[in-house]
Amino acid sequence: MPGYNININAGTAGTAGELPNTNRYLERKFIDNLKQETNILNYAKEFKIPSKSSKVIEFPKLTKLVAATTALANEGVPPAGSKLTVTKTTITLYQYGDFVYLSDLMDETAELNYRRELTVEQSYQSALTLETLVRNSIIAGTNVYYSNGTARTDVNSPITASIIRKAVRYLRRNNVKPLTGLLKGSPNADARALKTSYGMFIHDDVLTDLVEMDGFVDIEQYAGRGETLPNEVGAIRSGVRLIENSLMDSTSCSFNAGGASYTATGMISAGSSLCDVYPSIVFTNGAYAVAKLNSTNVEKFSKKRGSAGTGDPLSQVSSEGWKVLFGVGRHDETKLVRIESAATELV
């Protein structure tokens, strides 16, 4: 049986291989790939840059003016006044994208519609790309608390209620408004009202420790179930609503370099003798921002066989791809706090 170039990876000439349905029973339904949740983008402040203006957007921000508590001493004489101070944050647009080559033999002989499945997968890939770019920005914020010690390399214990209270206190001291308002009460005996709260992105491994924490409220116990956030899984009564996101893991964040041996502390370790460290992000509206060109979203590209001209002289290759112009940045550091902790291993 001759080989076929079914899927040629970008930038290579491709290698021979047999069609996936050769001499085998063919199940016509694709198995769904596991999808990571994408919800960090939901809370980004979005800005649009007009066409033909720039690829950089600048955000001016006025520093807060203090209370003017000194009485005006002399009638008709103005006071000294205050100085206006402006700080600036910039976001630069960059292009991101990917594509897959498809051979003519695959299009003409494969029994399954791989192109249709690929389109669905690339749609998810583009969303995951943007979500990951935003995640990478917010986990690099300047405000951080550790579950123990004073550096990431010290961390070898789970998240605590005390650390969460410290993060909430930091935001409140900076007069940062919460993400959500008061959750209404209910006549149901088991229902619990929640006060105004900030959002908190967490990984499922960290949630295991949070559910054991004094003050944890399961989403099933909310007094107003209709007021939940996307992917919200519960709350801590000290003032955070928990939003699960699988991108807040240790490995893809490059945070797997914690403290003492995980075997001694009972914490998770993905592949070393050190504890994995997870970032949990406490935030509110306006903490981070994304920028686009006008209202442009992800562009989809389908190139037919032969469209490359002399680059595809025998019309053997088509492609499916996507591209986006996108920028992200932390908009206000006072609205963003990172908590770094280990997570208890389940036995």
Side-chain angles (χ1 to χ4, degrees), residues 98-252:
D98 195 14
F99 71 97
V100 174
Y101 283 123
L102 302 169
S103 74
D104 56 346
L105 281 176
M106 192 202 78
D107 275 342
E108 296 173 2
T109 61
E111 295 183 31
L112 294 181
N113 190 342
Y114 288 92
R115 189 180 297 275
R116 181 176 61 191
E117 185 72 8
L118 174 61
T119 299
V120 173
E121 188 62 27
Q122 286 184 326
S123 175
Y124 169 72
Q125 181 194 26
S126 62
L128 179 62
T129 297
L130 302 186
E131 183 89 343
T132 302
L133 289 170
V134 180
R135 188 280 311 270
N136 291 346
S137 177
I138 65 175
I139 65 172
T142 57
N143 305 312
V144 58
Y145 292 99
Y146 303 99
S147 58
N148 66 277
T150 58
R152 185 173 305 160
T153 50
D154 296 329
V155 173
N156 61 8
S157 61
I159 194 168
T160 64
S162 175
I163 294 297
I164 295 175
R165 286 195 296 270
K166 286 181 180 180
V168 170
R169 184 175 62 184
Y170 171 84
L171 297 176
R172 288 178 176 162
R173 279 180 172 176
N174 282 282
N175 295 316
V176 173
K177 293 182 179 180
L179 180 69
T180 65
L182 180 71
L183 196 64
K184 294 182 295 186
S186 168
N188 298 330
D190 193 42
R192 302 186 186 182
L194 293 175
K195 59 184 177 182
T196 55
S197 302
Y198 300 100
M200 181 172 170
F201 294 123
I202 60 164
H203 190 272
D204 184 66
D205 291 344
V206 175
L207 177 62
T208 302
D209 291 310
L210 292 170
V211 297
E212 301 296 329
M213 187 178 295
D214 185 31
F216 174 77
V217 181
D218 190 276
I219 194 172
E220 297 294 334
Q221 297 176 296
Y222 282 15
R225 287 295 307 281
E227 302 173 48
T228 57
L229 303 170
N231 300 104
E232 185 174 357
V233 292
I236 304 297
R237 294 181 69 85
S238 58
V240 294
R241 305 271 286 272
L242 307 173
I243 304 167
E244 192 172 6
N245 188 289
S246 53
L247 287 179
M248 294 297 163
D249 66 308
S250 176
T251 303
S252 70

Side-chain angles (χ1 to χ4, degrees), residues 268-317:
I268 293 175
S269 175
S272 73
S273 61
L274 301 177
C275 295
D276 289 354
V277 180
Y278 295 81
S280 298
I281 306 296
V282 183
F283 71 99
T284 191
N285 290 321
Y288 53 97
V290 298
K292 300 178 181 180
L293 187 66
N294 287 325
S295 57
T296 302
N297 292 313
V298 176
E299 294 182 89
K300 184 71 174 66
F301 299 92
S302 296
K303 301 296 184 180
K304 296 180 179 180
R305 296 197 301 271
S307 61
T310 57
D312 183 21
L314 299 181
S315 296
Q316 294 173 291
V317 177

